[in-house]
Amino acid sequence: MTQSMPSKYSPMQRLLHWTIALLIFFNLLFPNGMNAWHYVVRQGGKPSADDVSAANIHAYVGIAVLVLAMLRLGVRFIQGVPDEAANEPALFRIAARLAHVALYVFIFAMPLSGIAAYYFGVELLGSVHADILKVMLWALIVAHVAGALAHQFYWKTDVLRRMTIG
Ligand code: HEM
Ligand code: HEM
C-alpha cells in the first residue's frame, strides 16, 4: 500500500468511516420511500411528486456513500492504514482483512447497483441490490461489529480506540 505504516487511522479516515456507516444504516433501515416509488413504477403507474422526493432521499444518500467511498479509498492510498492488531491468531487477522476488503466492495457495489436500477431501469441489478446485496451487507456488518468487539474485549487490542478517539 504506502511507504510507512501509521499507528492509527487519521481523523479524516475516522470521520469517513463513521459518516459512511451512518449513511449506510439510514438506507438499510429506511428504504421505504424508494420501495414505494419502485412499486408504483413496476405497476406501470406514474409516481407522485412525493414518491419521487422520498425515493430521491434514498438515491442521494446512496450516492453520497459512493462519493465518500471514492474519497476514502484515495485517502487510504495516500495515508495508509495501521497494521492489523498483532495480539490475535493469524486466522482472525486474515478474516479481518478479508472482511474489510468485502466492506469496501459493498460501499461501491450497493450504490452502483442502485443507480443502475433507478436511473437506467436495469431491473435485474435492482433485484440484486434489494434482495442479495442487502442481505450480504447486513451479514458482513454483523460479522464486522462482532469482530471489532472480539478484538477489543477478548484479545484486548485497541481497535475501537483507533477507529474512534484515535
Ligand atoms: C456500514 C457500516 C460499516 C462499514 C461499511 C465499515 C467498514 C469498515 C472498513 C472498510 C474498515 C477497514 C478500514 C481500512 O482499513 O481502511 C473498518 C474498520 C473498522 N470498523 Fe467499520 N464499518 C462499518 C460499521 C462499523 C461499526 C458499526 C463498528 C462498531 C463496532 C465498526 C468498527 C470498526 C473498527 C473498530 C475498525 C478498525 C479495525 C482495525 O483497526 O483494524 N465499523 N470498517
Ligand atoms: C449505501 C447505499 C445503499 C444502501 C445500503 C441501499 C439499501 C437498500 C435497501 C435496504 C433497499 C430495500 C430492499 C428491500 O426491498 O428490502 C433498497 C432498494 C432500492 N434501492 Fe437502495 N441502497 C443504497 C443505495 C442506492 C442508490 C444510490 C440508489 C439509486 C440511485 C438505490 C436505489 C434503490 C432501488 C431502485 C431500490 C428498489 C429495488 C427493488 O426493489 O428492486 N439504492 N436499497
Side-chain angles (χ1 to χ4, degrees):
M1 186 100 298
T2 44
Q3 339 67 30
S4 63
M5 204 67 94
S7 64
K8 56 188 182 188
Y9 291 97
S10 71
M12 177 64 147
Q13 286 173 320
R14 284 178 260 146
L15 185 67
L16 283 169
H17 175 272
W18 293 110
T19 310
I20 291 175
L22 205 70
L23 295 173
I24 286 192
F25 280 126
F26 179 84
N27 264 7
L28 280 175
L29 293 171
F30 310 110
N32 300 4
M34 178 56 90
N35 278 344
W37 172 89
H38 188 244
Y39 180 77
V40 174
V41 170
R42 217 175 30 209
Q43 303 295 311
K46 191 166 163 28
S48 68
D50 279 354
D51 289 335
V52 174
S53 324
N56 277 342
I57 294 176
H58 183 91
Y60 298 154
V61 167
I63 290 168
V65 169
L66 181 62
V67 172
L68 294 176
M70 290 192 269
L71 185 63
R72 181 168 179 183
L73 213 52
V75 171
R76 191 182 205 276
F77 195 69
I78 295 166
Q79 299 183 331
V81 287
D83 216 352
E84 278 92 24
N87 320 24
E88 71 264 22
L91 190 64
F92 287 89
R93 292 214 300 273
I94 295 169
R97 178 169 289 201
L98 287 179
H100 292 167
V101 172
L103 283 165
Y104 270 110
V105 170
F106 272 85
I107 57 182
F108 285 91
M110 223 34 213
L112 287 174
S113 53
I115 288 170
Y118 189 56
Y119 294 113
F120 302 101
V122 187
E123 284 291 325
L124 177 67
L125 285 180
S127 306
V128 170
H129 175 86
D131 300 329
I132 302 173
L133 295 186
K134 175 192 76 174
V135 179
M136 290 172 70
L137 179 56
W138 268 125
L140 207 52
I141 292 174
V142 169
H144 179 57
V145 172
L149 296 178
H151 286 272
Q152 182 73 30
F153 297 110
Y154 187 73
W155 286 297
K156 308 221 184 316
T157 56
D158 61 348
V159 285
L160 279 180
R161 187 185 176 91
R162 63 190 201 173
M163 197 42 114
T164 50
I165 50 179

XYZ file of all heavy atoms in Angstrom, residues 77-122:
355
model
N -5.081 5.220 0.211
C -3.928 5.024 -0.657
C -2.806 5.982 -0.288
O -1.640 5.605 -0.253
C -4.359 5.236 -2.109
C -3.364 4.714 -3.093
C -3.154 3.345 -3.215
C -2.621 5.582 -3.875
C -2.209 2.859 -4.107
C -1.683 5.101 -4.772
C -1.481 3.736 -4.886
N -3.173 7.229 0.018
C -2.158 8.241 0.324
C -1.602 8.058 1.740
O -0.397 8.081 1.957
C -2.761 9.656 0.165
C -3.128 9.906 -1.301
C -1.788 10.729 0.657
C -4.024 11.098 -1.512
N -2.520 7.863 2.720
C -2.070 7.866 4.119
C -1.726 6.471 4.646
O -1.090 6.355 5.681
C -3.161 8.469 5.016
C -3.476 9.916 4.652
C -4.499 10.541 5.598
O -5.335 9.845 6.151
N -4.419 11.846 5.757
N -2.222 5.429 3.980
C -2.019 4.075 4.504
C -2.930 3.835 5.703
O -3.671 4.719 6.129
N -2.901 2.608 6.240
C -3.711 2.287 7.425
C -2.836 1.516 8.398
O -1.845 0.911 8.002
C -4.938 1.411 7.060
C -5.987 2.198 6.348
C -4.525 0.191 6.274
N -3.221 1.531 9.678
C -2.425 0.759 10.633
C -2.509 -0.735 10.324
O -3.495 -1.193 9.746
C -3.091 1.079 11.978
C -4.397 1.704 11.670
C -4.336 2.249 10.296
N -1.474 -1.442 10.704
C -1.432 -2.885 10.510
C -2.521 -3.535 11.360
O -2.952 -2.954 12.344
C -0.051 -3.386 10.992
C 0.423 -4.521 10.118
O -0.368 -4.988 9.285
O 1.590 -4.940 10.284
N -2.950 -4.751 10.998
C -3.920 -5.453 11.846
C -3.311 -5.631 13.234
O -2.101 -5.829 13.353
C -4.234 -6.850 11.292
C -5.269 -6.858 10.192
C -4.612 -6.768 8.833
O -3.436 -7.144 8.729
O -5.271 -6.287 7.890
N -4.203 -5.575 14.231
C -3.727 -5.733 15.599
C -2.979 -7.063 15.722
O -3.430 -8.080 15.205
C -4.908 -5.704 16.554
N -1.836 -7.021 16.432
C -0.929 -8.176 16.397
C -1.253 -9.266 17.420
O -0.774 -10.380 17.313
C 0.500 -7.703 16.608
N -2.116 -8.949 18.418
C -2.273 -9.898 19.535
C -3.110 -11.136 19.258
O -3.184 -12.015 20.074
C -2.931 -9.230 20.755
C -2.433 -7.847 20.970
O -1.970 -7.211 20.041
N -2.529 -7.371 22.189
N -3.844 -11.155 18.140
C -4.729 -12.312 17.980
C -4.221 -13.272 16.910
O -3.321 -12.948 16.148
C -6.162 -11.859 17.680
C -6.338 -11.282 16.318
C -6.261 -9.779 16.329
O -5.678 -9.214 17.278
O -6.757 -9.187 15.382
N -4.829 -14.498 16.867
C -4.342 -15.518 15.942
C -4.365 -15.044 14.486
O -5.228 -14.246 14.103
C -5.345 -16.661 16.133
C -6.037 -16.391 17.411
C -5.956 -14.940 17.683
N -3.425 -15.573 13.716
C -3.277 -15.149 12.315
C -4.571 -15.316 11.530
O -4.921 -14.487 10.703
C -2.164 -15.964 11.670
N -5.308 -16.403 11.848
C -6.539 -16.673 11.116
C -7.519 -15.496 11.245
O -8.179 -15.101 10.281
C -7.180 -17.949 11.684
C -8.346 -18.495 10.869
C -7.856 -18.924 9.489
C -8.972 -19.692 11.591
N -7.590 -14.932 12.437
C -8.516 -13.828 12.657
C -8.020 -12.543 12.011
O -8.807 -11.710 11.569
C -8.750 -13.632 14.162
C -9.608 -14.715 14.748
C -9.038 -15.869 15.233
C -10.986 -14.589 14.763
C -9.819 -16.887 15.738
C -11.784 -15.605 15.274
C -11.199 -16.757 15.760
N -6.715 -12.408 11.940
C -6.182 -11.226 11.256
C -6.525 -11.299 9.777
O -6.904 -10.313 9.163
C -4.661 -11.139 11.457
C -4.271 -10.851 12.890
C -3.025 -9.990 12.949
N -1.878 -10.641 12.308
C -1.068 -11.482 12.930
N -1.282 -11.783 14.192
N -0.049 -12.016 12.312
N -6.424 -12.519 9.231
C -6.770 -12.687 7.811
C -8.269 -12.430 7.616
O -8.693 -11.751 6.682
C -6.391 -14.103 7.328
C -4.877 -14.269 7.379
C -6.904 -14.356 5.912
C -4.395 -15.690 7.187
N -9.084 -12.955 8.553
C -10.539 -12.754 8.455
C -10.877 -11.267 8.482
O -11.715 -10.791 7.714
C -11.239 -13.487 9.593
N -10.204 -10.527 9.370
C -10.477 -9.088 9.475
C -10.120 -8.399 8.159
O -10.872 -7.577 7.635
C -9.664 -8.486 10.625
N -8.985 -8.794 7.599
C -8.550 -8.165 6.350
C -9.554 -8.458 5.231
O -9.946 -7.570 4.481
C -7.160 -8.684 5.974
C -6.657 -8.111 4.672
C -5.209 -8.413 4.463
N -4.370 -7.652 5.376
C -3.074 -7.410 5.172
N -2.491 -7.878 4.093
N -2.373 -6.711 6.015
N -9.995 -9.730 5.145
C -10.967 -10.107 4.108
C -12.287 -9.352 4.296
O -12.892 -8.879 3.324
C -11.237 -11.617 4.145
C -10.117 -12.509 3.618
C -10.517 -13.971 3.748
C -9.803 -12.172 2.158
N -12.724 -9.238 5.559
C -13.985 -8.533 5.826
C -13.866 -7.073 5.402
O -14.803 -6.510 4.822
C -14.334 -8.634 7.307
N -12.705 -6.466 5.634
C -12.538 -5.060 5.256
C -12.564 -4.905 3.737
O -13.194 -3.984 3.218
C -11.234 -4.501 5.839
C -11.268 -4.386 7.335
N -10.155 -4.171 8.109
C -12.300 -4.480 8.205
C -10.493 -4.126 9.382
N -11.792 -4.317 9.464
N -11.913 -5.833 3.037
C -11.945 -5.767 1.565
C -13.391 -5.889 1.089
O -13.864 -5.121 0.250
C -11.073 -6.893 0.945
C -11.271 -6.946 -0.563
C -9.602 -6.672 1.282
N -14.120 -6.855 1.678
C -15.514 -7.062 1.269
C -16.353 -5.823 1.558
O -17.185 -5.422 0.739
C -16.091 -8.279 1.994
N -16.123 -5.186 2.706
C -16.892 -3.973 3.028
C -16.597 -2.876 2.008
O -17.499 -2.152 1.577
C -16.572 -3.501 4.448
C -17.245 -4.321 5.558
C -16.611 -4.054 6.914
C -18.747 -4.030 5.631
N -15.332 -2.781 1.615
C -15.003 -1.797 0.560
C -15.770 -2.110 -0.726
O -16.302 -1.209 -1.370
C -13.494 -1.779 0.277
C -12.737 -0.794 1.149
C -11.880 -1.214 2.155
C -12.886 0.570 0.962
C -11.206 -0.320 2.969
C -12.212 1.483 1.765
C -11.377 1.040 2.761
O -10.724 1.939 3.558
N -15.812 -3.381 -1.087
C -16.534 -3.759 -2.314
C -18.005 -3.327 -2.197
O -18.587 -2.757 -3.119
C -16.426 -5.280 -2.557
C -17.372 -5.713 -3.672
C -14.987 -5.669 -2.902
N -18.575 -3.537 -1.020
C -20.004 -3.230 -0.848
C -20.310 -1.740 -0.859
O -21.390 -1.341 -1.311
C -20.535 -3.873 0.443
C -21.005 -5.262 0.199
C -20.115 -6.318 0.229
C -22.331 -5.525 -0.105
C -20.533 -7.616 -0.032
C -22.765 -6.819 -0.365
C -21.859 -7.863 -0.337
N -19.406 -0.912 -0.342
C -19.734 0.516 -0.342
C -19.657 1.084 -1.758
O -20.091 2.198 -2.003
C -18.907 1.346 0.689
C -17.407 1.204 0.486
C -19.290 0.975 2.098
C -16.589 1.991 1.528
N -19.130 0.296 -2.701
C -19.224 0.663 -4.120
C -20.381 -0.069 -4.794
O -21.167 0.520 -5.531
C -17.916 0.336 -4.844
C -16.808 1.303 -4.535
C -15.930 1.066 -3.490
C -16.663 2.469 -5.272
C -14.929 1.973 -3.178
C -15.655 3.383 -4.975
C -14.786 3.136 -3.927
N -20.482 -1.378 -4.543
C -21.468 -2.202 -5.262
C -22.901 -1.807 -4.923
O -23.780 -1.816 -5.792
C -21.242 -3.676 -4.933
N -23.146 -1.442 -3.672
C -24.512 -1.100 -3.246
C -25.001 0.131 -4.030
O -26.027 0.059 -4.711
C -24.464 -0.825 -1.736
C -25.540 -1.371 -0.877
S -26.219 -2.919 -1.315
C -27.895 -2.681 -0.775
N -24.294 1.276 -3.962
C -24.783 2.432 -4.718
C -24.791 2.195 -6.230
O -25.745 2.585 -6.903
C -23.786 3.553 -4.373
C -22.964 3.073 -3.255
C -23.128 1.613 -3.108
N -23.778 1.520 -6.774
C -23.719 1.357 -8.238
C -24.889 0.516 -8.746
O -25.506 0.850 -9.762
C -22.380 0.737 -8.653
C -21.178 1.686 -8.545
C -19.874 0.939 -8.829
C -21.310 2.885 -9.480
N -25.227 -0.566 -8.017
C -26.359 -1.387 -8.470
C -27.664 -0.602 -8.327
O -28.568 -0.706 -9.174
C -26.415 -2.703 -7.683
O -26.421 -2.450 -6.292
N -27.757 0.217 -7.263
C -28.960 1.045 -7.075
C -29.112 2.052 -8.208
O -30.197 2.242 -8.761
N -28.006 2.680 -8.571
C -28.022 3.678 -9.662
C -28.466 3.012 -10.964
O -29.296 3.553 -11.708
C -26.620 4.322 -9.808
C -26.355 5.253 -8.628
C -26.489 5.073 -11.135
C -24.929 5.766 -8.518
N -27.933 1.814 -11.225
C -28.299 1.103 -12.460
C -29.806 0.854 -12.499
O -30.448 0.976 -13.545
C -27.532 -0.218 -12.537
N -30.382 0.531 -11.338
C -31.820 0.238 -11.297
C -32.649 1.513 -11.399
O -33.606 1.592 -12.171
C -32.154 -0.495 -9.989
N -32.262 2.527 -10.632
C -33.096 3.731 -10.501
C -33.008 4.632 -11.731
O -34.018 5.084 -12.258
C -32.639 4.486 -9.252
C -33.521 5.643 -8.843
C -34.876 5.457 -8.604
C -32.989 6.924 -8.668
C -35.681 6.521 -8.196
C -33.784 7.988 -8.246
C -35.132 7.777 -8.018
O -35.927 8.829 -7.617
N -31.800 4.887 -12.184
C -31.635 5.840 -13.291
C -31.642 5.165 -14.654
O -31.949 5.805 -15.654
C -30.333 6.646 -13.117
C -30.365 7.556 -11.912
C -29.539 7.324 -10.817
C -31.245 8.636 -11.851
C -29.583 8.152 -9.700
C -31.298 9.461 -10.734
C -30.461 9.219 -9.673
O -30.515 10.027 -8.557
N -31.269 3.882 -14.711
C -31.159 3.229 -16.020
C -32.130 2.067 -16.193
O -32.090 1.369 -17.196
C -29.712 2.777 -16.266
C -28.733 3.925 -16.198
C -27.954 4.133 -15.065
C -28.623 4.829 -17.252
C -27.080 5.212 -14.983
C -27.746 5.915 -17.181
C -26.975 6.107 -16.040
N -32.972 1.850 -15.206
C -34.032 0.833 -15.326
C -33.542 -0.606 -15.445
O -34.247 -1.453 -15.984
N -32.330 -0.891 -14.940
C -31.835 -2.271 -15.011
C -32.435 -3.063 -13.836
O -31.873 -3.125 -12.738
C -30.284 -2.321 -14.962
C -29.795 -3.745 -15.213
C -29.675 -1.350 -15.949
